[in-house]
Amino acid sequence: MTRVAIVTGGTRGIGHAISVMLKKAGMKVAANYAGNEEKAKAFTAETGILAYKWDVADFAACQAGVAKVVADLGPVDVLVNNAGITRDATLKRQTRAQWDEVLDVNLGGCFNMCKAVWDGMLDRSFGRIVNVGSINGQGGQYGQVNYAAAKSGIHGFTKALAQEGAAKGVTVNAIAPGYIDTEMVAAVPPNVLEKIVAKIPVGRLGKAEEIARGVLFLVGDEAGFVTGSTLSINGGQHMY
Ligand code: NDP
């Protein structure tokens, strides 16, 4: 059976790798993005995967976006909540707007997207949801109270929702990536990045494909006994 998957933030970085890997596994994939048209067009040209623009922080936009995907590809079996942003600043300097933006996209987006697919998954007695958290949601990080709170929230959200879907064929899991070589990490100053890499036992940044492999495992039809779990893929940095 051909599964239909939505990957939020699916046109760049980790999401790009997830979209491609799910397509290779035989799924019909819809990649969502926020506004970087250039990257989205290049992504579709390169992969043949359709890109859909909406803001995951906008509840109504998520409902409309999912409805469009369903009309184009069919009911959604797999949701990967991968869209995420950083607005780093110490608490002393962090503005309420920076707090709200990160919570609204990273955690609110997760809620909005799950709401848009949940009833359909329950009705069809099948669903696979993977929420992308972060090592910094597990261990915190200097200058990231907003991001750490949102990602930590994702881990709690995952465990709670997993309980609601468990008896109904819908699994909900999280992946907690360590530091992965994407544009998000490229924004970290080189001197800080050097110190981060020094703390990774494997001795390098992770690759987006290494996260995608974890997602592929969790969304498989055969992974029905895995729910409410967090898969840490971080090169051994924090043995959580
Ligand atoms: P990138 O910044 O490379 O890509 C982010 C993607 O999310 C883009 O496709 C972007 O769309 C999309 N996006 C951002 N905001 C929204 C929004 N409001 N609505 C819809 N789409 C949105 O990020 P990464 O690939 O590095 O990160 C992916 C996920 O992994 C994030 O949740 C991040 O927090 C998490 N993570 C990343 C780590 C890393 O080391 N890179 C470590 C741990 C976790 P557009 O192109 O239009 O801007």
Side-chain angles (χ1 to χ4, degrees), residues 210-231:
E210 291 173 311
I211 303 303
R213 283 179 63 81
V215 173
L216 184 63
F217 165 70
L218 292 171
V219 302
D221 279 23
E222 311 76 9
F225 204 58
V226 186
T227 196
S229 73
T230 296
L231 180 56

Side-chain angles (χ1 to χ4, degrees), residues 8-15 32-37 39-40 54-57 81-86 105-106 132-136 147 151 176-185:
T8 69
T11 57
R12 279 203 285 131
I14 293 171
N32 148 270
Y33 68 105
N36 191 329
E37 305 288 356
K39 283 280 163 77
W54 74 80
D55 177 2
V56 297
N81 282 312
N82 164 77
I85 57 168
T86 51
V105 172
N106 296 9
V132 178
S134 169
I135 192 169
N136 293 348
Y147 185 82
K151 292 299 190 180
Y179 285 84
I180 309 300
D181 195 4
T182 67
E183 286 171 49
M184 186 180 269
V185 164

Side-chain angles (χ1 to χ4, degrees), residues 34 51 81 84 88 90 113 120 133 142 153 171 190 207 209 212:
N81 282 312
D88 293 354
T90 56
M113 287 303 299
Y142 185 93
T171 66
K207 297 182 194 129
E209 291 70 25

Side-chain angles (χ1 to χ4, degrees), residues 4-231:
V4 173
I6 294 180
V7 182
T8 69
T11 57
R12 279 203 285 131
I14 293 171
H16 181 296
I18 296 169
S19 298
V20 169
M21 206 168 279
L22 297 191
K23 186 186 176 203
K24 276 193 189 145
M27 295 186 190
K28 288 196 267 181
V29 180
N32 148 270
Y33 68 105
N36 191 329
E37 305 288 356
E38 201 186 317
K39 283 280 163 77
K41 280 200 184 110
F43 165 83
T44 299
E46 177 202 330
T47 64
I49 297 169
L50 293 174
Y52 294 80
K53 179 169 135 182
W54 74 80
D55 177 2
V56 297
D58 180 336
F59 184 85
C62 290
Q63 296 280 329
V66 169
K68 173 93 176 76
V69 172
V70 172
D72 291 350
L73 304 180
V76 179
D77 304 297
V78 171
L79 168 64
V80 184
N81 282 312
N82 164 77
I85 57 168
T86 51
R87 296 289 181 266
D88 293 354
T90 56
L91 182 67
K92 194 176 171 66
R93 293 177 188 277
Q94 192 166 126
T95 62
R96 178 68 205 204
Q98 287 173 316
W99 168 267
D100 286 342
E101 206 181 339
V102 168
L103 267 290
D104 285 352
V105 172
N106 296 9
L107 186 55
C110 202
F111 173 84
N112 294 341
M113 287 303 299
C114 285
K115 283 287 280 183
V117 302
W118 189 249
D119 290 358
M121 288 180 174
L122 293 184
D123 288 347
R124 292 186 304 281
S125 302
F126 181 88
R128 297 282 182 266
I129 295 176
V130 176
N131 301 318
V132 178
S134 169
I135 192 169
N136 293 348
Q138 296 170 306
Q141 180 60 280
Y142 185 93
Q144 286 198 326
V145 291
N146 50 2
Y147 185 82
K151 292 299 190 180
S152 175
I154 280 181
H155 296 303
F157 177 98
T158 298
K159 288 180 195 298
L161 191 59
Q163 294 179 32
E164 297 182 24
K168 296 174 181 135
V170 183
T171 66
V172 188
N173 292 288
I175 289 204
Y179 285 84
I180 309 300
D181 195 4
T182 67
E183 286 171 49
M184 186 180 269
V185 164
V188 176
N191 59 323
V192 178
L193 200 55
E194 224 169 81
K195 285 183 195 145
I196 288 169
V197 173
K199 287 188 191 145
I200 303 174
V202 168
R204 60 168 174 83
L205 295 175
K207 297 182 194 129
E209 291 70 25
E210 291 173 311
I211 303 303
R213 283 179 63 81
V215 173
L216 184 63
F217 165 70
L218 292 171
V219 302
D221 279 23
E222 311 76 9
F225 204 58
V226 186
T227 196
S229 73
T230 296
L231 180 56

